[in-house]
Amino acid sequence: QVQLVESGGGLVQAGGSLRLSCAASGRTFSTQPMGWFRQAPGKEREIVAAISWSGYSTYYSDSVKGRFTISRDNAKNTVYLQMNSLKPEDTASYYCAAVRDRNYGSTYYETGVQGYDYWGQGTQVTVSS
């Protein structure tokens, strides 16, 4: 079983930055693709960014490309989401998610909600205009 705990959310003005962290338990973190999702009230959960277990490959949704950066430190069992140039439309609950270890290649990442097996409780990000 993998447990994920997000931190780093908060209230920030438009144009500001936040760094989200997701600490994972378990011994298989270093071989698990990871992702960040967000969900605003009344909307479906959507992918923000994803990263392969090696960190070699990353994916970003069009809405955050060029502003957000996903990274991971396998020695610390932690994945990060650096969010710059934040906009009011980035306001949402942000969730960290992990794919079960299935011996994926080093460049594999997952972009679909259904492809993830473990989820954190979420951290709120609010961007004021």
Side-chain angles (χ1 to χ4, degrees), residues 1-126:
Q1 189 70 14
V2 174
Q3 292 186 325
L4 304 172
V5 180
E6 302 97 336
S7 61
L11 174 64
V12 64
Q13 288 189 330
S17 298
L18 283 174
R19 188 194 196 200
L20 305 184
S21 298
C22 172
S25 66
R27 295 177 291 177
T28 59
F29 175 84
S30 63
T31 56
Q32 292 178 275
M34 301 290 294
W36 284 98
F37 290 75
R38 67 186 181 187
Q39 187 168 19
K43 294 189 176 181
E44 293 188 352
R45 190 167 295 190
E46 62 175 3
I47 182 79
V48 174
I51 189 167
S52 63
W53 63 257
S54 66
Y56 292 160
S57 296
T58 56
Y59 166 87
Y60 299 95
S61 66
D62 288 343
S63 60
V64 306
K65 198 173 296 181
R67 299 188 297 123
F68 290 11
T69 302
I70 187 171
S71 62
R72 64 190 297 160
D73 186 337
N74 287 343
K76 296 183 178 179
N77 277 20
T78 303
V79 63
Y80 304 97
L81 185 68
Q82 177 67 44
M83 305 186 295
N84 299 328
S85 302
L86 282 160
K87 305 175 181 180
E89 50 264 43
D90 294 319
T91 295
S93 291
Y94 283 71
Y95 298 88
C96 172
V99 179
R100 192 187 309 271
D101 179 19
R102 297 187 180 95
N103 294 316
Y104 290 110
S106 62
T107 59
Y108 176 83
Y109 55 74
E110 176 61 56
T111 60
V113 172
Q114 298 302 320
Y116 284 82
D117 301 289
Y118 307 102
W119 293 86
Q121 294 299 306
T123 185
Q124 178 66 34
V125 172
T126 303

